[in-house]
Amino acid sequence: MIATPPPAQSTQSIAIAWELLPDDYVLPDDPVDNINQPAIAAALTDALATAGRLSDTNFTCTNYGICATLNDRIVVKAPDWAFIPELRVPKADAIRSYTPQLQGSVPAVVMEFISETEGTEYSIKPTYPPGKWFFYEQVLQVPTYAIFSPESNLLEVYRLGQDGRYAAATADDQGRYWLPEMELFLGVWQGDHAGRSGTWLRWWEQAGNLLLWGDELAAAQRQIAEEERQKAEQERQVAQEERQKAEQEKQRAERLLAQLRAAGIEPEDV
């Protein structure tokens, strides 16, 4: 475990409202902490899209503003990755930001990748602006919150309990976490992808099958096509050999018949 945050404070004294972000609201334009974060986030979405698990009524987002109004003050958090299971407005209406409850469901999963600003992923600060942990747990009430450190390869998954608090989930014997909302396992994978060598977050089906990235699926399809081509070529060669063998047998029979007739013997007399 990277850390064990203390219990979040109650929202009883905080008035939560769901309002559209004003058109003139200036969204933060902070750069991501390092080059790895966008690649890891993009890979999560890539696998879902390749598996046909994304539709017109759900979407994933990266560094995209998710909004709420607390005590008449707008709060915008932009998780490193999130999955919104149900969008109830046209996607064009949610270009700049997304307001849960008003425009669709709360995120089913949010993820943060450990940043250079140590501890912000665990912040339970309830006052304005609230910390990430407090916002996801107490305001949005996101069912699954994952925190990943690409440098140390550590993945923590927290599930929202009946008491409205996050509790650390337990990984299976392969170090993967079952996410009911996604109907998938989430785990850490080591390898090369998109010009980057290192650890990645990846999805597995309940049966244990890895969800492939688009380039992996294309490579697998090329391999299957090549194997089928080779099989067809082998079958063609076998058929050609059979034809040659049949032709040789025919020629042998014709030579034998010619020899018999030269000796004054007709085959029917034999």
Side-chain angles (χ1 to χ4, degrees):
M1 301 290 290
I2 298 175
T4 303
Q9 299 183 36
S10 173
T11 58
Q12 291 180 355
S13 60
I14 298 177
I16 302 173
W18 308 101
E19 302 171 346
L20 291 178
L21 197 69
D23 291 338
D24 59 355
Y25 186 90
V26 179
L27 288 166
D29 192 25
D30 299 332
V32 295
D33 290 295
N34 58 62
I35 196 173
N36 293 323
Q37 293 183 0
I40 294 170
L44 284 164
T45 297
D46 181 355
L48 293 177
T50 300
R53 287 176 171 264
L54 296 179
S55 70
D56 291 338
T57 56
N58 62 34
F59 67 98
T60 66
C61 52
T62 302
N63 292 317
Y64 167 77
I66 299 177
C67 311
T69 302
L70 308 184
N71 292 339
D72 297 323
R73 303 184 73 177
I74 295 172
V75 176
V76 181
K77 296 294 181 184
D80 290 323
W81 190 90
F83 175 72
I84 313 297
E86 183 183 7
L87 179 66
R88 305 190 193 107
V89 299
K91 286 189 176 180
D93 292 347
I95 292 295
R96 295 183 67 233
S97 63
Y98 175 74
T99 302
Q101 308 294 356
L102 186 64
Q103 296 180 299
S105 62
V106 300
V109 179
V110 294
M111 298 187 194
E112 294 288 353
F113 310 141
I114 294 295
S115 65
E116 294 178 358
T117 309
E118 185 177 356
T120 58
E121 294 81 10
Y122 301 96
S123 175
I124 61 167
K125 177 177 172 286
T127 55
Y128 188 89
K132 290 180 179 178
W133 181 288
F134 180 88
F135 187 73
Y136 299 147
E137 178 192 69
Q138 295 295 302
V139 178
L140 298 184
Q141 297 182 337
V142 178
T144 297
Y145 180 25
I147 301 174
F148 177 54
S149 172
E151 299 302 323
S152 60
N153 306 336
L154 288 178
L155 170 64
E156 301 175 46
V157 173
Y158 295 92
R159 298 279 301 157
L160 195 67
Q162 295 291 332
D163 60 355
R165 298 289 187 263
Y166 281 138
T170 301
D172 66 6
D173 56 3
Q174 298 186 71
R176 301 168 189 166
Y177 297 86
W178 178 249
L179 276 54
E181 297 78 16
M182 306 296 298
E183 296 186 342
L184 291 170
F185 283 101
L186 177 69
V188 179
W189 180 89
Q190 175 80 35
D192 299 332
H193 175 63
R196 173 183 175 270
S197 180
T199 54
W200 303 81
L201 291 179
R202 300 205 66 171
W203 306 107
W204 283 263
E205 295 176 327
Q206 191 168 18
N209 302 315
L210 178 68
L211 290 197
L212 298 180
W213 291 315
D215 59 348
E216 289 177 323
L217 179 60
Q221 291 172 335
R222 287 194 298 270
Q223 181 177 352
I224 291 173
E226 177 61 21
E227 290 173 354
E228 290 178 347
R229 187 196 66 78
Q230 292 178 358
K231 181 181 178 181
E233 177 63 20
Q234 291 173 352
E235 292 174 348
R236 187 192 66 79
Q237 291 178 356
V238 169
Q240 183 177 3
E241 290 172 358
E242 291 294 332
R243 287 194 299 270
Q244 291 174 347
K245 182 178 179 181
E247 180 64 24
Q248 291 171 353
E249 289 296 327
K250 178 183 177 183
Q251 292 175 359
R252 178 177 174 277
E254 289 175 348
R255 286 196 301 271
L256 178 59
L257 179 61
Q259 291 172 354
L260 289 173
R261 285 175 174 169
I265 303 174
E266 285 296 327
E268 51 269 14
D269 295 338
V270 178

